Amino acid sequence: MKMINSQLVLTYFYIFIYICLSSGVILFNKWVLSPKYFKFPFPITLTMIHMGFSGAVAILLVRVFKVVQPVKMTFQIYATCVIPISAFFASSLWFGNTAYLYISVAFIQMLKALMPVATFVMAVICATDKLRCDLFLNMLLVSVGVVISSYGEIHFNVIGTVYQVTGIFAEALRLVLTQVLLQKKGLTLNPVTSLYYIAPCSFLFLFVPWYVLEKPEMELSHIQFNFWIFFSNAVCALALNFVIFLVIGRTGAVTIRVAGVLKDWILIALSTIIFPESTITGLNIIGYGIALSGVVMYNYLKVKDVKASNPLPADALPVKDWKADKRSSDLYKGDSDISNIDGHKGITASESVVDEESPLLSSRVSYVGRGQMNNLSNR
């Protein structure tokens, strides 16, 4: 009993850390980028700092400390798969961070309810998911809720809204491309190797828009660059990635979805306290509540689909130990093994769990336990 209680306490501790880190990174980014606070209105630069730091840590873990082995990456796979995925990944972060300059954190969280809609639309367009009446009605409910919430926004800004929605659809397209491009390659990436290959490529992709859009302005303006502020910001963003993996390993996809909903409400409340200009209206709450009900129902339907194809409960499945996973499963298997980036068969992009501040890792671990059970059954 004591062992069970200690494990339960540890699980809730991980969830608490996840909620704190996820909310903290969002509020931290807003504070850094806001012209009213830290006054560093350069979202591309901030995103490049995150990518550069994450890539450097991943390189150290793979090449120096050899925590995990790199996959057998060919130039063809890198050019046709990693580069396009990295481009959309970088774009989603760039547009999402730019939105902080124009709209409030609370309204951004409300707009992020569109993520399942965007992913479902992209999956249907790319023929990786089927158009179903029940899912379509849920997406319609979410969209109506977001429209109502937007109508009730006092400080509505078209530019900020367009940036945020564009970032959401860029991330949705990245999820679908991850499935479409890597599915036939049988490529398995764990959290460290994901950052190892994609973060440096995303950094290089962002260099061109940074050089054109932000570098000239940075040379003219007297900006303040505090090393410890940006270092701590990058550390928090990287730590969030790995905490999500730990939470998934301890609980499962259902729990992380519920924790994400709780985090959104906490974040909306906190943002109005920390940033007084973030005013919430009754129409905001009503619209977001409608959108959230659609998201919850969508998650329920997706979990139900997974349970129908897998008799074991999603939350009861053990997580794959990426630290010890140095077997041939991390190697390029060729076109004969049809699996997605996680090596799990049959998982569509619209079934992924996505945390907005760390989409690269969180999108790949939603059903990682299911893949581990497949491995165990084959031994």
Side-chain angles (χ1 to χ4, degrees), residues 125-233:
I125 292 175
C126 296
T128 62
D129 206 350
K130 296 180 180 180
L131 182 61
R132 291 164 42 184
C133 182
D134 53 352
L135 292 180
F136 176 77
L137 291 176
N138 275 312
M139 299 303 97
L140 188 62
L141 183 64
V142 172
S143 302
V144 170
V146 171
V147 169
I148 293 174
S149 181
S150 302
Y151 184 77
E153 176 65 16
I154 295 177
H155 305 291
F156 182 81
N157 184 284
V158 175
I159 297 176
T161 303
V162 169
Y163 267 119
Q164 183 59 47
V165 173
T166 304
I168 290 171
F169 274 89
E171 172 58 16
L173 187 55
R174 181 196 70 82
L175 286 172
V176 175
L177 284 178
T178 298
Q179 183 186 6
V180 171
L181 297 180
L182 293 181
Q183 185 179 28
K184 295 183 179 180
K185 304 299 181 182
L187 193 64
T188 302
L189 298 178
N190 58 48
V192 177
T193 51
S194 295
L195 288 175
Y196 177 75
Y197 290 107
I198 295 180
C201 187
S202 298
F203 178 89
L204 294 177
F205 175 82
L206 289 168
F207 181 80
V208 175
W210 172 81
Y211 189 84
V212 175
L213 299 176
E214 292 190 357
K215 183 177 179 293
E217 190 175 349
M218 292 177 71
E219 291 175 347
L220 294 176
S221 59
H222 300 285
I223 61 170
Q224 53 176 331
F225 190 91
N226 187 309
F227 170 80
W228 294 109
I229 291 292
F230 290 101
F231 177 74
S232 58
N233 183 261

Side-chain angles (χ1 to χ4, degrees), residues 26-172:
I26 293 173
L27 295 172
F28 202 165
N29 287 347
K30 173 66 175 181
W31 180 79
V32 169
L33 293 169
S34 176
K36 294 183 179 180
Y37 299 97
F38 188 70
K39 301 177 181 179
F40 187 83
F42 302 105
I44 304 177
T45 305
L46 184 65
T47 307
M48 289 179 69
I49 292 173
H50 288 177
M51 291 298 96
F53 181 78
S54 298
V57 171
I59 290 172
L60 287 174
L61 293 175
V62 172
R63 291 298 181 184
V64 178
F65 299 106
K66 300 187 183 302
V67 176
V68 295
Q69 293 292 331
V71 301
K72 190 176 181 181
M73 181 71 66
T74 65
F75 176 78
Q76 181 184 7
I77 296 175
Y78 194 87
T80 58
C81 299
V82 175
I83 291 179
I85 290 170
S86 300
F88 282 103
F89 175 56
S91 299
S92 67
L93 295 178
W94 166 18
F95 295 139
N97 284 336
T98 304
Y100 288 120
L101 299 176
Y102 301 96
I103 54 181
S104 67
V105 171
F107 186 49
I108 286 175
Q109 292 306 118
M110 295 175 188
L111 289 176
K112 284 177 180 177
L114 284 173
M115 188 65 211
V117 178
T119 309
F120 179 70
V121 170
M122 291 298 176
V124 171
I125 292 175
C126 296
T128 62
D129 206 350
K130 296 180 180 180
L131 182 61
R132 291 164 42 184
C133 182
D134 53 352
L135 292 180
F136 176 77
L137 291 176
N138 275 312
M139 299 303 97
L140 188 62
L141 183 64
V142 172
S143 302
V144 170
V146 171
V147 169
I148 293 174
S149 181
S150 302
Y151 184 77
E153 176 65 16
I154 295 177
H155 305 291
F156 182 81
N157 184 284
V158 175
I159 297 176
T161 303
V162 169
Y163 267 119
Q164 183 59 47
V165 173
T166 304
I168 290 171
F169 274 89
E171 172 58 16

Side-chain angles (χ1 to χ4, degrees), residues 188-191 244-253 306 310 314 317-322 325 340-344 347 351 353 361-376:
T188 302
L189 298 178
N190 58 48
I244 288 174
F245 192 79
L246 289 174
V247 172
I248 289 287
R250 284 242 163 222
T251 59
V306 172
N310 188 349
L317 302 178
V319 68
K320 187 175 182 179
D321 186 2
W322 57 271
D325 187 20
N340 65 7
I341 189 171
D342 307 312
H344 312 142
I347 301 300
E351 292 172 345
V353 176
L361 300 189
S362 56
S363 63
R364 67 162 298 282
V365 296
S366 56
Y367 297 101
V368 66
R370 181 180 174 186
Q372 176 67 358
M373 285 304 297
N374 291 335
N375 292 337
L376 290 174

